Amino acid sequence: MELKIIANLINKKSFFEAKAGLLKLIENKIKFNNNFENIYFTLSQVCIQLNELKDSKKFLINHLETNPKDCQALLSLADVQLRT
């Protein structure tokens, strides 16, 4: 599934389908270039919409391993921590 299709699913609030598409991209071990550098962050935000906070936290931590200074991800992680 292409990122454009996943973005459209997110815009349509089809979060289950968007999550499945993002997980498939990760599962297929597509090389993360600039287009994919925020894939874990996007997946974490989709999980928040699905109220899957444990998964969201896991994906935020994955994202922060490669982008440790991402303020939005740090704030999102703090929010998830407070909500759980």
Side-chain angles (χ1 to χ4, degrees):
M1 188 176 289
E2 292 182 29
L3 284 178
K4 269 186 177 179
I5 295 169
I6 293 170
N8 286 334
L9 289 170
I10 292 170
N11 286 333
K12 293 178 184 176
K13 299 188 186 299
S14 299
F15 299 117
F16 285 109
E17 292 87 356
K19 181 181 178 185
L22 289 165
L23 288 171
K24 189 165 184 113
L25 287 176
I26 292 170
E27 184 180 297
N28 290 335
K29 297 180 180 170
I30 291 177
K31 256 195 168 166
F32 297 150
N33 56 25
N34 289 339
N35 294 334
F36 292 93
E37 76 178 24
N38 292 320
I39 197 164
Y40 283 113
F41 180 75
T42 303
L43 187 51
S44 76
Q45 299 307 295
V46 168
C47 287
I48 287 172
Q49 294 300 315
L50 294 170
N51 203 32
E52 297 175 355
L53 302 179
K54 186 177 178 183
D55 286 342
S56 178
K57 181 179 175 182
K58 177 179 69 170
F59 295 128
L60 281 166
I61 290 170
N62 286 344
H63 174 75
L64 288 166
E65 286 175 0
T66 56
N67 301 294
K69 295 182 180 182
D70 184 341
C71 292
Q72 186 64 38
L74 290 167
L75 287 171
S76 190
L77 181 60
D79 180 56
V80 168
Q81 285 287 97
L82 289 171
R83 291 171 63 182
T84 53

